[in-house]
Amino acid sequence: MQAPSTHSATKRSGLTKTLMAMTALVLVTGCASNKSNTGTHSPASGTHYSNPGSAQARAAVSKWGSAYEKDRTNRMAILGYSDALSRNGQTPQAMAVLRAGVIAHPKDREIASAYGKVLAMNGRFDEAMNVLKGAQRPDTPDWKLMSAKAAIYDQMGEHKKARSIYKQALQIAPDDPSLLNNLGLSYLLSNELPDAEYTLRRAATLPGADSRVRQNLALVLGIQGKYDEAIQVARAELDPRQAEANIAYLRSMMQQRQG
């Protein structure tokens, strides 16, 4: 078999970086979720995205911070405060809150899942895997922990391994929109766009599907050149200026990819 040319390898590498950049954009601008979501954890009900540093983001930090100060062992306050901090770009502080939460609630698998994901977001993959492994029980596996583990494999570029775990988790929680969202993003990261679109469309139709799922669908549609539908979906989830900014970014990425 002929070895791939340097040009082809470089092109594939550039495509992977482009897809990672696009996915990061959507995860940042569309992290509204509820406490069952696994791609970006949050104990709050589905809400629209707010920019880090915005009045809305700071208000959430203040609200959950007050609850946390009243009782630093309250699990909902731990999850709510850490999520608000993450949304506001205060990741090291969110990590500290969750680290203390794991100590206070060593058997709480939702807090462990949130902590593992924050560790992974900071590139601390081995630590993240250890946290999730310690919280998981083979006799009663938690699908949220499985999804968090799969998401880490995706961040490491091991997409086939990630998808195998997502599919195992779906056997426990069939048609969970957050699991399907993460599976769709896994397909996106390996440039399997039809599978990504199919999976995200399926997720978006399910009860409980939140803003993040629909924004990720808009991303995949846009990458495939389905701009009209992508813009329609994005505008339904974001304020007009943010939607237009996302679409403009997406188009610039597509131009770079085609160039």
Side-chain angles (χ1 to χ4, degrees):
M1 181 180 295
Q2 184 177 0
S5 67
T6 303
H7 174 72
S8 298
T10 302
K11 186 175 181 180
R12 282 197 301 274
S13 176
L15 174 58
T16 299
K17 290 178 181 178
T18 296
L19 291 175
M20 287 292 287
M22 291 180 186
T23 304
L25 174 73
V26 171
L27 289 176
V28 168
T29 59
C31 56
S33 55
N34 59 42
K35 68 181 180 179
S36 69
N37 285 341
T38 54
T40 52
H41 67 87
S42 171
S45 59
T47 56
H48 287 275
Y49 165 75
S50 56
N51 286 300
S54 68
Q56 185 179 356
R58 287 185 282 107
V61 170
S62 177
K63 170 190 170 183
W64 285 107
S66 295
Y68 182 72
E69 286 301 321
K70 289 179 182 178
D71 183 0
R72 294 192 172 208
T73 63
N74 181 283
R75 66 181 303 277
M76 290 306 296
I78 292 167
L79 289 166
Y81 189 36
S82 62
D83 177 69
L85 290 167
S86 293
R87 292 186 186 218
N88 199 40
Q90 297 172 253
T91 307
Q93 193 173 348
M95 191 184 303
V97 170
L98 288 167
R99 185 184 302 116
V102 168
I103 294 171
H105 300 275
K107 295 183 179 181
D108 192 304
R109 297 201 269 187
E110 189 171 356
I111 293 176
S113 175
Y115 184 40
K117 282 178 283 189
V118 170
L119 286 169
M121 286 169 59
N122 285 269
R124 296 164 65 171
F125 299 124
D126 289 341
E127 289 180 70
M129 286 294 193
N130 286 335
V131 168
L132 298 177
K133 182 179 179 181
Q136 189 63 278
R137 293 196 292 270
D139 56 332
T140 55
D142 186 305
W143 65 266
K144 297 174 187 176
L145 292 175
M146 294 171 70
S147 184
K149 182 178 180 180
I152 293 171
Y153 277 125
D154 266 331
Q155 289 177 263
M156 297 169 67
E158 299 186 40
H159 305 305
K160 289 184 178 179
K161 187 176 292 186
R163 288 198 285 270
S164 175
I165 297 173
Y166 286 134
K167 290 174 182 178
Q168 291 175 41
L170 282 166
Q171 293 178 5
I172 300 172
D175 288 334
D176 181 87
S178 66
L179 274 174
L180 288 169
N181 172 75
N182 289 357
L183 176 59
L185 288 182
S186 183
Y187 284 124
L188 167 63
L189 290 171
S190 57
N191 199 30
E192 298 175 57
L193 301 181
D195 287 331
E197 179 183 343
Y198 172 81
T199 305
L200 289 167
R201 281 191 186 277
R202 181 179 161 199
T205 64
L206 293 169
D210 62 16
S211 175
R212 179 192 58 184
V213 177
R214 290 181 286 273
Q215 288 179 65
N216 288 339
L217 174 59
L219 170 69
V220 172
L221 291 169
I223 290 174
Q224 296 179 94
K226 301 176 182 180
Y227 290 117
D228 290 341
E229 188 178 1
I231 291 171
Q232 183 180 6
V233 173
R235 282 176 175 164
E237 297 303 319
L238 300 171
D239 66 79
R241 287 185 302 174
Q242 185 65 58
E244 293 299 333
N246 279 14
I247 295 301
Y249 179 85
L250 176 60
R251 282 179 170 155
S252 71
M253 291 294 98
M254 285 296 294
Q255 289 172 357
Q256 292 179 29
R257 175 183 171 184
Q258 292 168 355

